[in-house]
Amino acid sequence: MDANTRQNEILALLNDQDRVEVDDLSQRFSVSLQTIRTDLRDLSARGALSRVHGGAVRISAGASRDYADRRRLNADGKGAMAAMAADLIPDNCSLTLNIGTSTEQVARALSGHRDLTVLSNNINIINLMMGGPAKELVLMGGTVRQSDGAIVGEDAVDFINRYKVDFAIIGASALDADGAILDHDTREVSVARAILQNARTKVLVCDGSKFDHSAPVRICDVADLDVVITDRTVPAPFQKAADAAGTKILTTGGSYPESES
């Protein structure tokens, strides 16, 4: 069986189940563990699945939604959150913004700020801010994910590790009530972790609908953040975890449904 046929069969398995394991696939196809890891790495690079420890998981409908469609989802709420985030950022400072439609809105909200040094792994953000009053725009190096303009992978992580900025502003694909901040793509998560590790103040901008979503890869916990900006009251366990850690929750309005808390 050639690699292309084997990879198609792996995807067929993921159509019927949520997760596949490296050990099981190795036995099923009578190939080495390394061969299966290579298959999963190739499929992940194509955006066909999400790698996790020991295997891979099916990418949810939320993760595969067309990026342009996601920009239109809750645009007003994202705009309000972005304005709140921009209020935290002074002129003449440095910040990093990661991939995401919410962080793109933050970039727009920063259009009047002056003398910023902005790093991003989001081609869209750099394009949005070109020609504005920011002092310096820095696009990270690495592999470009063509579906959304994200720059991901270890080259991007190495690039970020050369810097230490004043603010990190990140988005996420899913939030758990227990305080976990989650995403789908391990390569994207590695970049988000590096962004947080190399910033003095760490800010998450994420609308409340993300509590209704799930994702398999942990970026961090709410305790690792300084500020969370969202558009509605968070579930009680999430608020409790934030309070215990001294993480500030800023809400633009609305409440989380009682049944979900």
Side-chain angles (χ1 to χ4, degrees):
M1 181 182 293
D2 62 23
N4 186 61
T5 302
R6 188 172 56 249
Q7 290 176 13
N8 286 337
E9 292 204 16
I10 291 171
L11 293 179
L13 286 171
L14 279 175
N15 283 332
D16 297 327
Q17 60 196 61
D18 292 333
R19 179 181 176 119
V20 291
E21 303 289 343
V22 170
D23 289 343
D24 293 341
L25 294 173
S26 174
Q27 293 177 19
R28 174 185 287 268
F29 297 116
S30 299
V31 295
S32 69
L33 297 176
Q34 185 57 44
T35 296
I36 294 299
R37 292 190 185 102
T38 300
D39 287 336
L40 298 183
R41 183 173 63 247
D42 291 346
L43 289 167
S44 176
R46 287 160 43 193
L49 52 72
S50 181
R51 295 177 66 194
V52 296
H53 181 71
V57 296
R58 181 173 57 203
I59 294 180
S60 72
S64 59
R65 186 190 300 273
D66 182 79
Y67 196 69
D69 288 342
R70 284 193 280 136
R71 279 197 181 102
R72 292 189 285 269
L73 289 174
N74 193 22
D76 291 341
K78 291 174 182 176
M81 292 187 299
M84 187 174 282
D87 285 343
L88 299 176
I89 308 298
D91 291 339
N92 194 30
C93 73
S94 57
L95 66 149
T96 305
L97 296 148
N98 80 335
I99 186 66
T101 57
S102 293
T103 50
E104 285 183 23
Q105 289 281 11
V106 175
R108 287 189 176 91
L110 290 169
S111 61
H113 284 55
R114 306 191 67 83
D115 295 327
L116 298 179
T117 298
V118 180
L119 286 74
S120 186
N121 70 322
N122 185 340
I123 291 174
N124 308 304
I125 282 177
I126 299 300
N127 287 335
L128 281 169
M129 301 191 78
M130 285 180 63
K135 179 172 64 178
E136 187 173 6
L137 301 175
V138 181
L139 180 63
M140 297 175 193
T143 301
V144 179
R145 191 169 61 195
Q146 295 188 41
S147 62
D148 57 7
I151 296 174
V152 294
E154 292 307 310
D155 287 342
V157 171
D158 291 342
F159 190 98
I160 297 163
N161 286 334
R162 303 175 198 167
Y163 291 84
K164 184 67 175 283
V165 300
D166 297 314
F167 294 89
I169 301 180
I170 69 163
S173 292
L175 303 174
D176 267 8
D178 67 1
I181 315 301
L182 305 162
D183 223 309
H184 298 276
D185 188 329
T186 55
R187 300 169 304 159
E188 182 178 337
V189 167
S190 294
V191 175
R193 289 174 181 163
I195 288 171
L196 293 173
Q197 290 165 3
N198 290 285
R200 298 178 179 89
T201 301
K202 304 166 181 63
V203 182
L204 172 72
V205 180
C206 206
D207 68 77
S209 72
K210 300 303 173 62
F211 285 106
D212 303 325
H213 299 168
S214 62
V217 191
R218 186 188 299 267
I219 299 172
C220 65
D221 292 302
V222 67
D224 301 313
L225 301 166
D226 297 296
V227 181
V228 173
I229 298 174
T230 187
D231 61 347
R232 66 192 190 196
T233 303
V234 301
F238 192 91
Q239 183 69 60
K240 183 178 180 180
D243 291 343
T247 302
K248 185 180 294 185
I249 306 286
L250 302 179
T251 307
T252 62
S255 298
Y256 198 79
E258 227 18 79
S259 61
E260 298 291 339
S261 61

